């Protein structure tokens, strides 16, 4: 048996192991480019270089494929961040700024951030997917921020406020950034572009000063 024949089975096995990741990457590209409704599984399969039948071996439906994309590209970074939040050394104000910046580095500044625009624009047409996104992404993320705000209040670092309203004050500018990135941002001249890191840091500092005890 020659070398090529010896290596061929290993190449085939490696290729098979890589397929789920390649399909998720292709699906993420198309979901962000075209939206959920307009993306066809045939297109995903073709971009990944496999047949539609092969795609269905890994993901039985487009809905399953979308959920897998969200779990890999959105849920995983949130889960990783949660573990790091628990070990953070610093004030609640510093932690809040760190969390907001990490959200941008790990999600907002990636291709996956286009999922936010997709969900916001198509939620009413696909309520089950919207509920999935709420359960898997929004609620765990909100819980992290809510806990930091409440901890700051409990430790008298922050004044007593309505935590739910403060939570939205933290998250809304971040959502604005990704919506801007995937809509008007690419159309604006350079002098009108927003520096995400500078914007987030300034907003976090405004928040913590506003939350400071009287």
């Amino acid at each position: 048996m020659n070398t090529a024949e010896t290596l061929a089975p290993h190449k085939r096995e490696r290729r098979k192991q890589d397929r789920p990741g390649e399909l998720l990457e292709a699906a993420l590209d198309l979901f962000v480019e075209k939206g959920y409704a307009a993306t066809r599984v045939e297109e995903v399969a073709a971009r990944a270089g496999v047949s539609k039948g092969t795609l269905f071996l890994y993901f039985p439906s487009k809905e399953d494929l979308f959920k897998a994309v969200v779990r890999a590209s959105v849920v995983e970074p949130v889960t990783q961040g949660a573990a790091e939040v628990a070990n953070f050394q610093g004030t609640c104000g510093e932690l809040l700024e760190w969390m907001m910046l990490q959200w941008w580095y790990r999600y907002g500044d990636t291709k996956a951030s286009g999922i936010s625009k997709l969900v916001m624009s198509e939620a009413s047409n696909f309520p089950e997917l919207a509920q999935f996104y709420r359960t898997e992404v929004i609620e765990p993320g909100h819980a992290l921020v809510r806990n930091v705000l409440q901890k700051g209040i409990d430790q008298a670092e922050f004044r007593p406020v309505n935590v739910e309203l403060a939570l939205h004050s933290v998250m809304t500018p971040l959502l604005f950034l990704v919506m801007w990135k995937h809509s008007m941002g690419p159309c604006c001249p350079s002098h009108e572009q927003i520096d995400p890191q500078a914007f987030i840091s300034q907003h976090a500092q405004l928040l913590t000063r506003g939350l400071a005890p009287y």
Side-chain angles (χ1 to χ4, degrees):
M1 183 179 293
N2 61 36
T3 303
E5 291 172 333
T6 303
L7 292 176
H10 297 287
K11 284 187 69 176
R12 286 196 297 270
E13 182 62 27
R14 187 164 62 249
R15 168 66 174 155
K16 186 176 180 180
Q17 292 173 349
D18 291 342
R19 277 178 187 159
E22 292 169 354
L23 285 164
L24 292 178
E25 185 70 20
L28 174 60
D29 286 343
L30 285 164
F31 284 140
V32 170
E33 290 171 17
K34 304 182 67 173
Y36 180 79
T39 296
R40 296 182 296 116
V41 291
E42 293 89 341
E43 295 174 291
V44 176
R47 184 167 294 197
V50 301
S51 68
K52 182 171 71 170
T54 298
L55 183 151
F56 284 135
L57 289 176
Y58 297 97
F59 308 103
S61 68
K62 186 167 79 166
E63 181 176 333
D64 290 317
L65 179 61
F66 177 77
K67 289 179 177 179
V69 167
V70 170
R71 288 184 174 124
S73 58
V74 186
V75 175
E76 189 173 327
V78 172
T79 303
Q80 292 171 347
E84 294 174 19
V85 165
N87 298 316
F88 185 85
Q89 300 296 314
T91 67
C92 290
E94 291 167 344
L95 175 55
L96 195 62
E97 181 175 352
W98 179 85
M99 289 171 63
M100 294 170 73
L101 286 168
Q102 288 300 312
W103 182 92
W104 178 257
Y105 297 144
R106 300 182 189 199
Y107 176 67
D109 197 30
T110 72
K111 177 171 52 183
S113 62
I115 295 293
S116 291
K117 180 186 175 186
L118 180 157
V119 170
M120 293 179 74
S121 62
E122 302 192 56
S124 61
N125 294 324
F126 301 97
E128 290 184 5
L129 291 183
Q131 183 57 47
F132 160 79
Y133 192 82
R134 178 178 177 79
T135 301
E136 298 264 344
V137 178
I138 296 175
E139 291 179 358
H142 281 193
L144 285 175
V145 177
R146 188 182 293 111
N147 289 342
V148 173
L149 292 169
Q150 189 60 57
K151 181 180 178 181
I153 293 170
D154 293 342
Q155 296 180 170
E157 183 180 338
F158 299 154
R159 60 188 174 86
V161 294
N162 182 313
V163 171
E164 294 305 312
L165 294 180
L167 165 65
H168 292 300
S169 296
V170 173
M171 296 305 303
T172 301
L174 299 179
L175 292 174
F176 158 75
L177 277 179
V178 293
M179 295 300 287
W180 176 268
K181 172 186 173 182
H182 291 280
S183 57
M184 295 302 297
C187 306
C188 291
S190 58
H191 69 277
E192 292 182 8
Q193 294 297 322
I194 299 171
D195 181 333
Q197 291 88 346
F199 175 84
I200 291 171
S201 289
Q202 177 172 282
H203 182 66
Q205 291 163 23
L206 290 171
L207 278 172
T208 53
R209 289 171 186 169
L211 288 167
Y214 294 116

